[in-house]
Structure formats: C-alpha cells, structure tokens
Amino acid sequence: MNILEKLFFPKLNWVQLEISGLCNARCFYCPHTIYRKDWRSRNFSFGEFLKLAPYFEKIKLLYLQGWGEPFCNPEFFNILKFAKEKNCVVGTTTNGMLLEDIQLERIVNLKLDIIAFSLTGIEKNDVLREGTKIERIFQVIKELNSIKTRKRTLYPKINIAYMLLKSNIEELDEIPFIFKDKGINDIIISLLDFIPEDKLTNESIVPKTEVEYEEFKNKFLKIKNLGIQNNLNIYFNLSHPYKKRDICSEQPNNSLFINSLGYVAPCVFKGIPLERKDNLYFGNINEKTLFKIWNDKDYKNFRKIFYSGKIPYACEACNKLRIWEY
C-alpha cells in the first residue's frame, strides 16, 4: 500500500475476518450445516492475512470469526501474534471444543482482547448445537479465568454469544443465575436473524407485531435487571417489526466482512462462503488490494445509498435494519 492509499483508507470500526470456513460442530440452524453439500470449506492462510497488515492501524477491532470455527485454522495463533504485535484489538467467537490448557495459555500470553463462547440454550444446548457440550465450555471458561488470575491480567474479556430460539426460549429465565459467578463479562442474546431454509422460520422469535415487540422488550429488560443483580451484563438484539434504522446494526458504512475465500462483503450475511445468489461481493483480496476494493464503484454506490438515507435493495428484508434494543 502506497502513502496515498494509507492516507485515504478510512478508519473502520471493525473488520470481521472469517479465518476458517471449517467447523467441528453441526448446529442445526447454521448455514454451514444446512448448505454443507455446497460449502466451500477452507482456512484463511497466513500469507493472505499479511495482505491486510497495512490497514491495521485504521481498524479499531479485528474480529476473527465468521461461519466456521476459528480454532480449526492451525494458523490462528500466528495470526493473533502478528496482529497483536501491530497493536490491533483482536476478538474471536468459538464453540470452545478445540481449546485445551495449552491453547488457553497461548490465548492469554498473546493478549487476545475478547473471546466469546457460542451457546444455544442451557440444558438444550448440546442437542441444538451437535458436537458441543455446555459443561465442557464452562470448564474451559473456568480454566481460562484461572490462567488470567495466575498471570494477573483481565484479558481476554470472556463473553457468551447466546442464540435464542423457540426451541430454548423456556430456558431464558435461567440465564442470570446459570452464568453468574463464572467470570463472564457480557452475555449477548441474539435472535435468529438469518434463516437458511424455510423450515427454520418457526425457530425465529423475531417480533412480528408491536405487541410482540413490547412483550419481548419487557421480558428482556427483566432478564437484564436480574443480570445486574448477579453482576452480569446482559444485552439483547431485538428488532422492531417495522421501524427501520438509518443504518443497520452491522454498520456497513464503516466496517466490512472478509470470508475464508478472501471475498469482501458488507457483512457476514452477504458473504457466506459458497455459490449463493444472495451474496454481495465487491472483490477478493487475492486479486485486488483492500483499498481498491473499498473504492470499487459498486461498493461506493452501495454505501452511498445508506448515506442518502435510503436502503440498498439487497438489504431491504434484513432484520438487522430494525434492531433497536441492544
């Protein structure tokens, strides 16, 4: 990247990088499971990662996660080490099943800033997320906190990325009590925004009416307050049935997603690593620099629509446009 590119590349709130398109779990609602016959499984190489290095000082958060399991990539720690040496703030989300004591030591030693563990329920998690075990995740979190205490560090922050479905909604009230006193910083509760096949529509509890929205909002506020009483920060993504934001919660004007194939998309929902007509690619980092991709005519026009207060056609039906509670 030359001096002019470095000068004119914008500051981004985050870059979400899918360093692995592979996964060792089979969550029944995930595109990786639904589309497995057509999935283009691949690990992002360290060489490809180095192509992003010139932009690191312009990125507030580098988040190593997409549709796959990040720790399936044997280069994870090399990528983390290099990013931290460049003073990046780095986070990741994992199912936790590949983390042993050695990996946990390296996570702390290399100063990972944020690690979130994915869950879909409490007693029901192991069924809904085939290949994962909630008790194993709790054990990993316990060991990670033990290492942090021994090394006298507050990092990484430990979060829970919790998927709320119709199948596990009766366990919602247990969250403030099950997760307390486990060294967890934040719990982020999300609904099923992306539905990869029609039969999963019934699993989505995204509010359809104003009444449903208010009911969910009041219920979530109750859970949030119970969390505060138990020293837990609980947040929730709740979309309104019809009120839309000026810009969606994925902030495509000042963030981007790069999938494991190297394609740049405005968000993770438009960058699923397989041949899919709904994908919205603006270039591949193996073919063009990130600066040239960001300044691609079509990409600029896409962002311009948001700046004008309108919504790009490709995004009109997305629930992320209507998220008001977090």
Side-chain angles (χ1 to χ4, degrees):
M1 180 169 67
N2 59 41
I3 295 175
L4 286 178
E5 287 187 355
K6 186 173 183 178
L7 180 65
F8 288 106
F9 191 79
K11 290 187 177 181
L12 301 179
N13 283 347
W14 67 77
V15 167
Q16 185 176 355
L17 175 59
E18 180 183 56
I19 62 170
S20 181
L22 286 65
C23 192
N24 56 320
R26 294 182 65 171
C27 308
F28 83 98
Y29 54 85
C30 180
H32 191 283
T33 302
I34 303 299
Y35 304 139
R36 58 185 175 274
K37 291 182 180 179
D38 301 313
W39 198 262
R40 297 175 68 184
S41 295
R42 182 178 182 274
N43 282 326
F44 202 82
S45 74
F46 186 70
E48 290 172 304
F49 181 71
L50 292 180
K51 295 177 181 180
L52 304 176
Y55 307 94
F56 285 166
E57 65 183 60
K58 294 290 190 79
I59 299 169
K60 291 182 181 179
L61 172 64
L62 178 64
Y63 209 81
L64 306 176
Q65 180 252 347
W67 296 107
E69 165 54 42
F71 289 96
C72 282
N73 190 334
E75 295 279 17
F76 180 92
F77 290 105
N78 290 332
I79 289 171
L80 173 60
K81 182 175 185 292
F82 186 89
K84 292 303 300 180
E85 287 174 348
K86 298 297 182 181
N87 298 316
C88 287
V89 177
V90 185
T92 192
T93 299
T94 175
N95 60 41
M97 294 299 102
L98 300 177
L99 296 178
E100 303 291 343
D101 291 355
I102 294 175
Q103 287 89 351
L104 296 176
E105 287 274 353
R106 295 186 73 185
I107 283 171
V108 176
N109 289 341
L110 292 175
K111 298 180 169 54
L112 179 66
D113 296 277
I114 304 164
I115 185 167
F117 293 91
S118 298
L119 287 172
T120 304
I122 300 168
E123 291 184 6
K124 292 192 173 182
N125 176 80
D126 297 0
V127 174
L128 301 177
R129 292 175 57 83
E130 183 182 341
T132 72
K133 301 289 184 184
I134 190 170
E135 288 304 320
R136 170 66 182 151
I137 292 172
F138 284 158
Q139 184 59 41
V140 167
I141 291 173
K142 181 179 180 180
E143 179 59 28
L144 183 54
N145 275 311
S146 176
I147 296 170
K148 288 167 59 177
T149 299
R150 173 161 46 85
K151 294 182 179 291
R152 298 181 180 180
T153 178
L154 298 176
Y155 294 95
K157 284 183 60 179
I158 299 174
N159 298 339
I160 297 293
Y162 192 97
M163 176 63 70
L164 186 64
L165 305 171
K166 189 169 289 185
S167 292
N168 66 7
I169 193 169
E170 71 274 12
E171 297 181 323
L172 180 62
D173 292 340
E174 300 177 43
I175 289 176
F177 309 104
I178 293 294
F179 294 101
K180 71 175 183 178
D181 302 327
K182 286 185 167 60
I184 293 167
N185 294 90
D186 300 332
I187 299 174
I188 299 93
I189 299 174
S190 298
L191 309 184
L192 189 63
D193 294 303
F194 180 76
I195 301 174
E197 62 178 355
D198 291 342
K199 70 179 184 180
L200 289 173
T201 302
N202 291 334
E203 285 292 348
S204 175
I205 55 174
V206 172
K208 304 295 191 300
T209 66
E210 182 86 32
V211 172
E212 284 186 352
Y213 174 80
E214 290 298 326
E215 287 176 350
F216 277 118
K217 180 179 177 180
N218 291 333
K219 189 172 185 65
F220 286 152
L221 286 174
K222 176 185 175 183
I223 299 299
K224 183 179 179 69
N225 288 331
L226 285 171
I228 292 172
Q229 294 172 26
N230 287 282
N231 297 313
L232 279 174
N233 298 315
I234 301 177
Y235 306 94
F236 50 90
N237 288 302
L238 181 59
S239 57
H240 195 277
Y242 59 85
K243 291 182 181 178
K244 293 184 178 180
R245 301 157 54 109
D246 293 333
I247 189 75
C248 85
S249 59
E250 297 300 298
Q251 300 182 28
N253 282 356
N254 51 26
S255 67
L256 57 84
F257 173 66
I258 305 173
N259 72 13
S260 55
L261 306 175
Y263 287 103
V264 176
C267 70
V268 66
F269 301 99
K270 291 298 179 182
I272 298 175
L274 76 162
E275 296 297 332
R276 179 179 169 81
K277 65 179 181 180
D278 290 340
N279 278 342
L280 190 60
Y281 293 151
F282 293 109
N284 191 299
I285 65 161
N286 294 303
E287 299 168 0
K288 294 193 291 185
T289 66
L290 191 58
F291 178 85
K292 289 181 178 179
I293 294 172
W294 181 262
N295 287 286
D296 174 85
K297 181 181 177 181
D298 290 338
Y299 203 173
K300 290 172 75 173
N301 286 338
F302 172 84
R303 298 193 302 272
K304 187 177 179 180
I305 294 173
F306 274 117
Y307 283 124
S308 69
K310 298 179 182 179
I311 299 168
Y313 175 77
C315 303
E316 284 183 339
C318 184
N319 287 319
K320 294 292 184 181
L321 280 165
R322 302 194 300 274
I323 288 179
W324 289 89
E325 305 298 331
Y326 184 78

